[in-house]
Amino acid sequence: MAVAPPSYCFVAFPPRTKDGLVVFGKNSARPREEVQEIVYFAAAAHDPGSKVECTYIAIDQVPKTHAVVLSKPAWLWGAEMGANEHGVCVANEAITTREPASETEALLGMDLVRLGLERGATAKEALDVIISLLEEHGQGGNYYEDGSSCHAFQSAFLIVDRAEAWVLETVGKYWAAEKITDGVKCICNQLSLTTKIDAEHPELRNYAEIQGWWTGDTEFNFSEVFSLAEDHLGCCSGQESLGKKEGNITVQTMMDVLRDKASGVCVDSETFLTTASMVSVLPQNPSSPCIHYFTGTPDPSRSIFKPFIFVDDVKLVPKVQSPFLGDDDPVKKKPRFQEKPDRRHELYKAHEWSRSVTENDKERGQKLMRIMLELERQGLEAMEDI
């Protein structure tokens, strides 16, 4: 069974946060060499009967899709995390459960992130979109750009807007969800839902009984029923760091947590690396704009967060977009992934150069990092004024 990458997602609500803000954050841990790009898609109208080509399958398109900004592995259609013009943020986690994930190509969890953002104007709408598509099309296929082996996972999602968040965890087509409106919540690469379930698949408990995983005589605990062994215990060390900042959690706090290697939130192992990070600030006052910060480069401890705001005339930024290969892309051909093209964008290459400088000339590297962090600080201050 494939090992799920140890990513982390967070949300914090007032009064734990300052200034009436909802603060969302995600570190995306993926295979070390994978490139993530930052892409924007404008709101669009679509012809009746049209299809949308997701990573592996085509599904029916809807009449209208919302504007979205996404941080996504460059080879696939979906996204690890992103936001839409209505202040909805969605991120996913790859998880393993007692139910083996399907290798049959269907929707990836990352496809469902993008579909939820494109079709949902609130967190609850995005939740309903993801659930409906999961039940209709299923989930499955290779999560990695790897032609030698299929790495398939189940999916968990953190879905957030200005008013509430939903944690959605899935086992095949079955699912359970919890609504969050206060405090701090973290999800990672393990099931986290227990006995507080606010919505669920109508056949979820019956399926667990049929499989012999629950007798019906005890209280239904989702993670205990569906997790492998003790895999549901102790999900997220970063939640403790946020908890210590009660009443004072800011966008800077969230960035600091995502940069923390000692806690394990910032992943840098032989197999996995935090390949991109995102922090979003969602004011509960609807007249204030939501602000989204992306690294677009690996390892947030060596990267800076760049701000994005939805406006009427968003300009594309080619420097954070990977080369487009069209039908020649190895992901489009069968058998898939027989080649691995160079997907690095200009910002990724610049990040590689800066990392080389840091490793080969410590003093020069520290100076470069100070300059980068000062630019980030200036960006944060400018966004606070907005």
Side-chain angles (χ1 to χ4, degrees):
M1 183 175 290
V3 176
S7 298
Y8 292 89
C9 301
F10 302 89
V11 65
F13 286 90
R16 296 285 188 93
T17 57
K18 288 187 69 174
D19 304 324
L21 303 173
V22 177
V23 184
F24 165 89
K26 160 109 192 243
N27 266 356
S28 171
R30 298 282 299 170
R32 288 193 64 89
E33 303 305 316
E34 187 175 80
V35 177
Q36 285 203 34
E37 59 180 346
I38 310 300
V39 294
Y40 167 81
F41 296 98
H46 305 280
D47 294 333
S50 61
K51 299 283 187 177
V52 54
E53 291 278 348
C54 302
T55 303
Y56 297 129
I57 65 170
I59 66 171
D60 291 337
Q61 184 57 283
V62 292
K64 183 182 183 301
T65 50
H66 307 307
V68 297
V69 59
L70 308 171
S71 182
K72 58 184 287 294
W75 62 271
L76 53 75
W77 181 86
E80 273 282 285
M81 51 205 170
N84 71 21
E85 61 185 306
H86 301 290
V88 179
C89 298
V90 183
N92 90 307
E93 298 282 350
I95 54 175
T96 53
T97 69
R98 280 180 164 181
E99 177 84 11
S102 174
E103 295 185 3
T104 302
E105 291 182 349
L107 292 174
L108 291 176
M110 292 168 283
D111 293 335
L112 291 165
V113 169
R114 178 169 172 178
L115 290 163
L117 289 168
E118 288 186 338
R119 301 180 181 196
T122 66
K124 181 59 166 61
E125 285 185 12
L127 171 76
D128 291 340
V129 165
I130 292 171
I131 289 168
S132 174
L133 292 171
L134 177 70
E135 293 181 358
E136 182 178 358
H137 300 286
Q139 58 180 324
N142 204 340
Y143 257 62
Y144 301 156
E145 189 182 15
D146 184 350
S148 63
S149 181
C150 183
H151 309 265
F153 300 100
Q154 311 287 7
S155 303
F157 304 86
L158 183 60
I159 308 166
V160 181
D161 64 20
R162 298 173 188 260
E164 64 185 27
W166 286 86
V167 175
L168 171 64
E169 297 182 344
T170 69
V171 180
K173 71 175 183 179
Y174 301 97
W175 55 270
E178 178 185 1
K179 183 179 177 179
I180 312 289
T181 57
D182 57 22
V184 174
K185 182 67 177 180
C186 167
I187 69 169
C188 63
N189 62 334
Q190 302 170 9
L191 294 176
S192 65
L193 299 183
T194 56
T195 57
K196 183 182 181 298
I197 297 174
D198 296 304
E200 65 185 75
H201 189 286
E203 295 297 321
L204 175 70
R205 300 184 191 213
N206 184 51
Y207 179 72
E209 286 194 78
I210 291 171
Q211 296 300 314
W213 298 333
W214 182 57
T215 63
D217 297 329
T218 58
E219 186 176 22
F220 186 79
N221 183 312
F222 183 81
S223 60
E224 286 185 3
V225 169
F226 289 105
S227 292
L228 290 165
E230 300 300 310
D231 198 33
H232 62 284
L233 300 177
C235 180
C236 195
S237 56
Q239 187 158 340
E240 183 178 339
S241 300
L242 285 176
K244 293 176 182 176
K245 299 284 188 179
E246 184 166 351
N248 291 294
I249 297 173
T250 64
V251 62
Q252 186 65 64
T253 309
M254 189 66 76
M255 290 176 181
D256 291 343
V257 167
L258 297 184
R259 285 173 165 143
D260 186 0
K261 289 191 173 179
S263 71
V265 172
C266 182
V267 176
D268 190 352
S269 68
E270 289 186 8
T271 308
F272 299 115
L273 179 67
T274 297
T275 54
S277 304
M278 172 184 175
V279 173
S280 292
V281 180
L282 314 176
Q284 291 192 312
N285 179 354
S287 66
S288 298
C290 298
I291 304 172
H292 312 284
Y293 299 86
F294 297 91
T295 59
T297 52
D299 191 346
S301 71
R302 296 172 180 262
S303 300
I304 65 170
F305 288 84
K306 282 76 72 175
F308 175 94
I309 299 177
F310 285 92
V311 294
D312 290 337
D313 186 24
V314 172
K315 298 291 192 298
L316 299 179
V317 182
K319 291 183 185 298
V320 292
Q321 295 176 359
S322 296
F324 177 69
L325 303 178
D327 291 338
D328 292 330
D329 197 312
V331 71
K332 299 288 188 183
K333 302 175 181 178
K334 292 185 179 181
R336 302 194 196 275
F337 311 125
Q338 298 305 295
E339 303 171 59
K340 187 170 279 191
D342 184 356
R343 300 189 186 275
R344 295 175 301 163
H345 47 71
E346 288 186 48
L347 182 62
Y348 189 96
K349 293 176 181 178
H351 178 80
E352 287 183 315
W353 172 83
S354 69
R355 180 165 187 163
S356 175
V357 168
T358 302
E359 291 173 348
N360 295 316
D361 186 336
K362 187 174 181 179
E363 184 176 344
R364 188 181 174 201
Q366 289 175 341
K367 181 179 179 181
L368 177 61
M369 196 66 209
R370 284 195 298 270
I371 293 171
M372 292 169 63
L373 290 174
E374 174 60 21
L375 289 171
E376 180 183 271
R377 185 190 65 79
Q378 293 174 18
L380 288 172
E381 288 184 353
M383 293 303 104
E384 285 179 7
D385 291 340
I386 291 174

